[in-house]
Amino acid sequence: MVAQTPAESLLALVASVFDAYSVVLFQPEDETGKSEARLTAFFSLGDEIARGARIPPGKGLVGWILRNKAPLLVDSIDQNQAFLGYYQEQSEPDIRSFMGCPVPGGGALCIDSKRAGAFTGSRQKLLHLFALMIPQLESLVTHSDHDREVGVYFAALERMADLRASYAGWGEYMNKLLALLKETTGFHYVAFASRVEGSARYIVEGECPPLLNRQGNQAELPVNSGIVGWGFRNEEAVHNDGTGGPGATPIFGKNPLVPDFAAAICLPVTVDNYTCGVLCLAGLEPRPLSPELRSFVRMAADDMARLLDTVALRYRIHNLLPKASLQRSGSVAFDPDAPPAPRPTDD
């Protein structure tokens, strides 16, 4: 096996130091320590490891460590009695020695060998030191990923500012922004829907890639359909990471043209205290929605709102100019109590 992640690199080092056949890392599904522990990383000289293996506390050698939170050494394994739980049942190798210790914060780091008596009690302390490195390594990786994520979003915000300054119209700006959001966030689909005040329907103005607007016409859907419609009706954001269980996230309701998305973010776009649009990002697989991601998407929605407000103001001024000109000529009196012009939905 070729090590790919920092954790796998550490396990490869452990295998080399102890001359082990396999090294496995199990970590609990939650913080209680009562749930099953999942195989999160491994290194092995063979191909028999059962990827995605899960072991409940108390079951087999690994489960004993998980339940008792204590080290364990077995220098002569009887294959008919010992349960390892991380090898494929039909191709489990002839393992003769096993040693493991708990990982701080939950989990177990375990090594094995095809040789009986391969590990000694005096070396348990060394394995414990490697186990101590695992949460430290995870913390370093998390901070590194966080810094990289923030850098990506910051660069995208700079591109958004340039886009807003050079846009040639609302439609062009919107389409370029949706493409930028898809590229930056890694979501599979990004769309913007708008609604005229008082209407019972909303329009999918733009999407990347096109799903509903393939024929050049903008799809029009009832406001009671999907979580986009829910955003219009309730004027609240929706954040769904898709990990709550099986089932699709119907962003537009049931529609044969739209795939079954798992994760989604839908944010209302508000102008003058009115939700005139909803920005939606959707992914085909569950994914974590970090605070940085949520903040970035919120900034994008706010950017759209600012530009829509500017476009609406220009539209109102454009419609008032002829009336003001007629007033100056004495032909028509301007009525200050006249209702405002309708909000534009496009260029």
Side-chain angles (χ1 to χ4, degrees), residues 189-194 202-213 219-230 232 248-259 261 264 266 278-282:
Y189 177 75
V190 183
F192 176 77
S194 64
Y202 63 86
I203 298 171
V204 182
E205 279 201 49
E207 48 180 357
C208 182
L211 296 178
L212 299 175
N213 299 343
E220 189 172 332
L221 303 170
V223 77
N224 61 354
S225 64
I227 60 174
V228 171
W230 190 94
F232 279 115
T249 300
I251 58 176
F252 298 124
K254 294 182 179 180
N255 194 306
L257 298 177
V258 181
F261 291 112
C266 287
V278 170
L279 175 63
C280 180
L281 298 86

Side-chain angles (χ1 to χ4, degrees), residues 11 45 53 61 93 140 145:
L11 299 193
L45 297 179
L61 302 181
L140 288 174
D145 289 343

